[in-house]
């Protein structure tokens, strides 16, 4: 199948082309405002499916709305008619088409044009009225407020919140792509004349800003966003895509002494804490027990011995651990325990605790194994 994608270098187009290639589609005609205009005639002659994504969102002059959202659509359809190509045409419109604004009127004109084209030629068309889209490769101050907030907050720049209670309807780019691929395969989600992406999210502007600010703070407080919430998960992926190239990494607080180091990596209120423990050769760490706190140890480098003893018993249990064979050792409650580096290099252990450390209630009691 030969697929024509207009607006191929834009936010949606770039993501769509990448996903089409992921799915094995090879013959993709990419057309954008920088493409040689003469190629459009060739593409409209040979294509088997059209994704018409090109459009104008924020022009310098309002008249560009009609030129980009109506004029180019007319040019595209005229070429398809010239070549008698009745390939299905999928066009992206906007929920703004219902509003009497320059942008809304231009989008509505594009819709009317393609419906008339369908009536005239018998060609099937799919018109998607899309809400605010967000995701990787979107442009700040152009595509969506999500892009603007992610860009600015990740760079310590101010954001503007005119009305924190203003309601937004958002749609994630991956959900758009999934729907578009269904349409390509002949199974679009449609109601009456219009198609739509079935997965949408509603949020207030103030709450959106709060969530994105929390993403930035998480690098300091080591928290992890609530990935059970679909919108939060998608926003976090979007936020990371906006990190400046010199801010991909961030430092952790290493608690160091002559024995080695202990460094917290992740803290969550509901899933506990992950830390990395480094022990020098010959060093023993631990020798304590817990009432309720429990842990998992996994040695990833070096050689060690984990020892256990019930606090009211003399029997000592030993587990040999090594980075050569990754395994998890559970640390039960009521057992005093220790980990000893018996090798000649640092012993590196990834440790998970079922609760984040609380200095006011440490639940940790010294007792030698």
């Amino acid at each position: 199948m030969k697929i024509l994608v207009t607006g191929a270098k834009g936010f949606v187009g770039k993501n769509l082309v990448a996903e089409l290639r992921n799915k094995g589609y090879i013959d993709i005609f990419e057309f954008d405002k920088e493409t040689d205009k003469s190629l459009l005639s060739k593409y409209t002659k040979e294509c088997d499916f059209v994704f018409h994504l090109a459009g104008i969102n924020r022009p310098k002059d309002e008249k560009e709305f009609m030129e980009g959202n109506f004029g180019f659509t007319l040019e595209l359809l005229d070429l398809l008619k010239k070549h008698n190509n009745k390939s299905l045409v999928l066009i992206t419109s906007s929920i703004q088409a219902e509003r009497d604004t320059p942008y809304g009127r231009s989008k509505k004109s594009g819709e009317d044009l393609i419906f008339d084209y369908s009536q005239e030629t018998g060609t099937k068309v799919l018109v998607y009225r899309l809400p605010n889209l967000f995701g990787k490769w979107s442009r700040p101050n152009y595509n969506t407020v999500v892009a603007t907030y992610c860009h600015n907050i990740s760079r310590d720049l101010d954001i503007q919140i005119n009305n924190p209670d203003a309601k937004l309807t958002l749609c994630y780019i991956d959900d758009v792509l999934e729907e578009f691929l269904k349409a390509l395969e002949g199974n679009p989600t449609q109601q009456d004349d219009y198609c739509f992406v079935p997965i949408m999210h509603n949020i207030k502007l103030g709450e959106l800003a709060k969530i994105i600010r929390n993403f930035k703070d998480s690098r300091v407080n080591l928290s992890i966003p609530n990935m059970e919430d679909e919108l939060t998960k998608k926003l976090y992926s979007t936020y990371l895509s906006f990190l400046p190239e010199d801010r991909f990494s961030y430092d952790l607080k290493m608690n160091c002494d002559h024995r080695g180091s202990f460094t917290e990596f992740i803290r969550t209120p509901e899933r506990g804490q992950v830390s990395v423990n480094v022990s020098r050769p010959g060093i023993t760490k631990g020798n304590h027990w817990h009432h309720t706190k429990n842990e998992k140890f996994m040695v990833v480098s070096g050689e060690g011995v984990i020892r256990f003893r019930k606090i009211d018993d003399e029997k000592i249990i030993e587990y040999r651990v090594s980075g050569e064979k990754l395994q998890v050792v559970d640390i039960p409650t009521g057992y005093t325990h220790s980990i000893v580096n018996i090798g000649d290099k640092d012993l590196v252990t990834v440790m998970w605790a079922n609760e984040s450390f609380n200095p006011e209630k440490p639940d940790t009691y010294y007792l030698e194994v």
Side-chain angles (χ1 to χ4, degrees), residues 219-250:
R219 302 177 114 203
V220 177
N221 59 34
L222 306 184
S223 65
I224 292 293
N226 178 15
M227 296 301 172
E228 286 187 336
D229 180 74
E230 281 295 315
L231 177 57
T232 299
K233 181 172 69 174
K234 295 166 182 176
L235 287 171
Y236 186 60
S237 296
T238 303
Y239 175 79
L240 291 182
S241 75
F242 278 92
L243 288 176
E245 292 180 0
D246 60 350
R247 296 192 190 182
F248 287 178
S249 67
Y250 57 100

Side-chain angles (χ1 to χ4, degrees), residues 91-217:
I91 184 173
T92 51
S93 185
S94 168
I95 56 175
Q96 301 294 325
E98 299 177 348
R99 298 188 177 183
D100 188 21
T101 63
Y103 176 66
R105 290 191 295 271
S106 70
K107 281 297 189 182
K108 185 64 168 63
S109 295
E111 291 179 358
D112 294 342
L113 184 63
I114 199 161
F115 284 134
D116 290 344
Y117 166 79
S118 179
Q119 287 286 333
E120 178 186 346
T121 64
T123 303
K124 183 170 182 177
V125 298
L126 302 175
V127 178
Y128 278 84
R129 279 188 171 177
L130 299 175
N132 296 285
L133 305 185
F134 71 100
K136 66 184 183 303
W137 304 334
S138 51
R139 289 168 53 188
N141 304 307
Y142 185 80
N143 288 125
T144 169
V145 66
V146 175
T148 304
Y149 283 6
C150 287
H151 176 274
N152 286 16
I153 289 172
S154 66
R155 289 162 175 76
D156 305 316
L157 302 175
D158 291 335
I159 61 172
Q160 185 175 346
I161 307 175
N162 293 327
N163 179 9
D165 291 325
K167 295 179 181 179
L168 296 174
T169 299
L170 300 176
C171 191
Y172 185 51
I173 187 62
D174 286 10
D175 295 323
V176 175
L177 300 182
E178 184 176 344
E179 172 61 26
F180 281 5
L181 287 171
K182 285 173 58 181
L184 180 61
E185 294 163 359
N187 189 31
T189 305
Q190 191 165 5
Q191 185 173 14
D192 299 326
D193 292 334
Y194 296 95
C195 299
F196 62 95
V197 179
I199 302 176
M200 298 186 189
H201 305 278
N202 296 307
I203 191 172
K204 292 182 179 180
L205 192 61
E207 182 64 21
L208 173 67
K210 180 182 177 182
I211 289 174
I212 296 175
R213 285 193 178 108
N214 286 341
F215 295 158
K216 180 184 176 185
D217 294 341

Side-chain angles (χ1 to χ4, degrees), residues 41 50 127 131 133 153 174 177 274 283 296 328 358:
S41 179
V50 180
V127 178
L133 305 185
I153 289 172
D174 286 10
L177 300 182
V274 178
I283 291 297
K296 293 179 182 289
V328 175
N358 180 358

